[in-house]
Amino acid sequence: MPDLHIDWQKVSGMLPVIVCEHGSNEILMLAYMNEEALDLSLKSGFAHYFSRTKNRIWKKGEESGNTQKIVSAKLDCDNDTLLISVVQNGGVACHTGRKSCFFNDINLQNFEISHAGDEISKPKYDVIDELYHIIMDRKLNADPKTSYVASLFKKGENSILKKVGEEATEFVMACKDASTHKSEDPGKNTKDALIYEAADLCFHSMVALALHDIHPDAVKEELKRRFGMSGIEEKRSRDDK
């Protein structure tokens, strides 16, 4: 990769990237690139970013198909911010299905927020990614009076962790029921009950992750890291830290 004189230490390893649409110059999104993501972007001609919540590099549109073909790239005067002009395939840059991520209009008189811009075609994500986006939306925008997830966030971390503990206990009990093939409800299949409780535990664990802005993909990456490593080696690697 050519030396672009970027002060990576100044930007803490994450270069802010402003993304605009080629032709209209409409701002589509703000993202970040580390050195590897920038190198991949410049060499491939398609935008790659570093997701701080997923803790990995991702190619824009890798799931939805809404890739960004880079037409031009410019550094600002301080060499610490990148501006790229892209052809937005699919016409959708935002995970909500809107063209641009900047659709929350702030009324400068009363500071109320209104949502502008119609959804073009909401990208399809896997169920875990979709659920994480929904949880984050509830965290930021929903009314605690009408949203269960928003009410958990309003109550705070202790309430969220209490639910995780409760669901973990119910999962353990469902496992025991499945092992003995006995259920408190005679009409209930013990394996179905186990799956149900596992889903509850997974959901509330995701709420806890979302509290700390951690995408479940970061957990997947940690599991991938452990491939080829014995349990004893993995434990030793943690003890050595």
Side-chain angles (χ1 to χ4, degrees):
M1 179 179 174
D3 185 5
L4 301 177
H5 304 291
I6 295 170
D7 189 343
W8 290 103
Q9 186 174 0
K10 178 181 178 182
V11 298
S12 301
M14 292 293 158
L15 181 68
V17 183
I18 301 168
V19 185
C20 71
E21 182 182 44
H22 178 64
S24 71
N25 288 330
E26 180 179 357
I27 301 298
L28 299 178
M29 57 185 282
L30 170 69
Y32 295 87
M33 292 181 184
N34 62 3
E35 290 189 66
E36 185 179 355
L38 178 59
D39 188 43
L40 282 169
S41 298
L42 296 179
K43 288 181 177 178
S44 70
F46 285 89
H48 291 69
Y49 305 110
F50 188 89
S51 172
R52 295 171 296 171
T53 57
K54 297 180 179 182
N55 195 34
R56 68 174 178 87
I57 292 172
W58 59 288
K59 178 183 179 182
K60 176 65 177 174
E62 63 185 17
E63 291 185 31
S64 65
N66 297 329
T67 57
Q68 293 176 341
K69 175 66 176 175
I70 300 174
V71 178
S72 65
K74 298 179 180 180
L75 280 168
D76 74 338
C77 56
D78 294 322
N79 283 34
D80 59 8
T81 304
L82 183 68
L83 171 66
I84 60 174
S85 178
V86 303
V87 174
Q88 177 62 64
N89 293 316
V92 177
C94 183
H95 76 273
T96 63
R98 292 173 172 85
K99 180 180 179 181
S100 168
C101 293
F102 296 94
F103 58 84
N104 294 311
D105 287 334
I106 301 175
N107 186 312
L108 298 181
Q109 302 301 317
N110 56 23
F111 306 113
E112 291 183 351
I113 296 177
S114 60
H115 306 302
D118 295 328
E119 289 186 7
I120 298 174
S121 177
K122 190 171 182 179
K124 293 182 179 179
Y125 300 96
D126 68 60
V127 64
I128 295 296
D129 197 34
E130 183 73 15
L131 182 56
Y132 179 78
H133 284 307
I134 292 172
I135 290 171
M136 288 299 292
D137 179 67
R138 300 292 190 273
K139 173 186 175 182
L140 298 172
N141 302 312
D143 185 347
K145 294 179 181 178
T146 57
S147 167
Y148 170 69
V149 173
S151 70
L152 284 177
F153 283 118
K154 183 177 181 181
K155 291 175 184 176
E157 184 175 38
N158 286 346
S159 291
I160 293 172
L161 297 182
K162 181 181 178 182
K163 283 300 298 181
V164 173
E166 290 173 357
E167 299 302 339
T169 299
E170 290 178 13
F171 174 72
V172 169
M173 296 307 296
C175 282
K176 295 296 290 183
D177 287 343
S179 297
T180 59
H181 304 287
K182 294 180 180 179
S183 173
E184 294 180 1
D185 182 353
K188 200 170 188 179
N189 183 293
T190 54
K191 288 189 176 181
D192 287 344
L194 177 56
I195 293 168
Y196 183 90
E197 296 301 340
D200 272 353
L201 177 57
C202 179
F203 172 78
H204 286 89
S205 296
M206 287 179 63
V207 173
L209 287 172
L211 179 69
H212 297 282
D213 300 322
I214 298 174
H215 194 287
D217 269 12
V219 180
K220 293 179 185 179
E221 290 301 308
E222 173 59 18
L223 291 172
K224 288 179 183 178
R225 184 189 68 81
R226 298 182 187 185
F227 280 165
M229 180 185 297
S230 74
I232 294 175
E233 288 175 326
E234 194 282 325
K235 185 178 185 304
R236 187 181 296 123
S237 71
R238 281 184 288 152
D239 292 341
D240 290 342
K241 291 180 179 178

